[in-house]
Amino acid sequence: EAGVTQFPSHSVIEKGQTVTLRCDPISGHDNLYWYRRVMGKEIKFLLHFVKESKQDESGMPNNRFLAERTGGTYSTLKVQPAELEDSGVYFCASSQYVQGNEQFFGPGTRLTVL
Amino acid sequence: AQKITQTQPGMFVQEKEAVTLDCTYDTSDPSYGLFWYKQPSSGEMIFLIYQGSYDQQNATEGRYSLNFQKARKSANLVISASQLGDSAMYFCAMREGSGNQFYFGTGTSLTVIP
């Protein structure tokens, strides 16, 4: 069974540009989560999808971030326009149940904004 | 306030020795789950062990055990017989009650010395 995959693994962009990160959850997992780790700090929750619906987007930092999950399969996270403080590692996770014992994490996308 | 605190940014352990990675948590919810994840240099987040707040016994998974002290609100990870492959970043996380998001600590970087 394939795990959670994320693309790209690394992205380097200039301030003001747009970047789109993609996450493919484990097949059959209705729940998809985005997290972010800024250098040296804790991993922080961004948002949670149940199928194609946003269940909780309380962690989204501002309106420069837009997450979608059309069709309830893969998800994209777009940052437009990117700022220096957006640099970090963006993790995606999925789970079959919200109350399950674990969330399965992808390897993350390392975003560097110059 | 920080919900998960990991006070050890870096730890060293001799191969074949045991090591304890500290984690304290803060919640007023009587129902919660505690998790440990390992992140090797390759980037993926690997689930190690889970402890529920109502579990009577400390969780164990192979060489990993969780020293759960509810009154102290601590959930330390114990790795026995350390191996070189245990060198990685370790994250403690918590999910509260029926919540959907994980709260993470800042992580502990473990280096196993041959």
Side-chain angles (χ1 to χ4, degrees):
Chain A
E1 178 186 294
V4 177
T5 57
Q6 293 186 245
F7 182 83
S9 56
H10 292 86
S11 180
V12 181
I13 61 172
E14 294 192 349
K15 176 182 171 181
Q17 290 186 320
T18 297
V19 63
T20 301
L21 314 181
R22 172 170 170 146
C23 168
D24 286 77
I26 292 172
S27 177
H29 282 191
D30 287 341
N31 296 279
L32 187 150
Y33 312 81
W34 283 98
Y35 291 84
R36 176 174 74 170
R37 184 180 188 220
V38 172
M39 180 70 77
K41 298 198 173 181
E42 70 272 24
I43 300 169
K44 281 196 171 180
F45 169 83
L46 296 179
L47 87 159
H48 169 212
F49 283 100
V50 178
K51 297 185 180 177
E52 67 274 10
S53 300
K54 290 176 187 173
Q55 184 75 14
D56 179 357
E57 51 184 333
S58 61
M60 293 287 264
N62 52 60
N63 59 10
R64 294 185 293 102
F65 289 75
L66 174 65
E68 295 180 323
R69 193 183 181 196
T70 307
T73 54
Y74 71 90
S75 174
T76 58
L77 180 65
K78 181 191 286 188
V79 185
Q80 179 182 31
E83 297 289 344
L84 299 179
E85 63 265 25
D86 300 333
S87 295
V89 180
Y90 290 77
F91 291 100
C92 175
S94 73
S95 68
Q96 191 168 8
Y97 309 108
V98 174
Q99 291 301 303
N101 283 354
E102 62 182 292
Q103 293 178 5
F104 296 86
F105 280 77
T109 293
R110 181 174 295 278
L111 174 64
T112 302
V113 183
L114 303 176
Chain B
Q2 200 80 355
K3 286 193 178 282
I4 294 287
T5 302
Q6 294 181 255
T7 57
Q8 306 155 315
M11 289 282 286
F12 292 86
V13 63
Q14 204 76 36
E15 194 178 5
K16 298 180 186 177
E17 297 290 311
V19 63
T20 298
L21 306 184
D22 295 342
C23 172
T24 57
Y25 59 92
D26 182 26
T27 182
S28 56
D29 196 322
S31 174
Y32 51 89
L34 298 158
F35 304 77
W36 277 92
Y37 282 84
K38 171 184 177 181
Q39 186 187 33
S41 56
S42 51
E44 75 272 29
M45 294 272 280
I46 303 166
F47 166 73
L48 294 178
I49 196 166
Y50 164 81
Q51 179 86 43
S53 59
Y54 295 118
D55 293 344
Q56 296 294 313
Q57 308 257 3
N58 285 347
T60 59
E61 288 286 347
R63 294 185 299 109
Y64 304 108
S65 60
L66 201 151
N67 184 0
F68 181 43
Q69 298 190 41
K70 200 168 183 176
R72 293 186 179 183
K73 292 190 174 179
S74 74
N76 298 340
L77 177 70
V78 180
I79 305 175
S80 63
S82 297
Q83 302 172 356
L84 296 179
D86 293 334
S87 293
M89 197 76 175
Y90 288 80
F91 291 97
C92 179
M94 175 178 68
R95 186 188 64 227
E96 293 176 310
S98 59
N100 54 1
Q101 64 173 282
F102 278 24
Y103 297 94
F104 282 88
T106 50
T108 295
S109 177
L110 176 67
T111 302
V112 180
I113 304 166

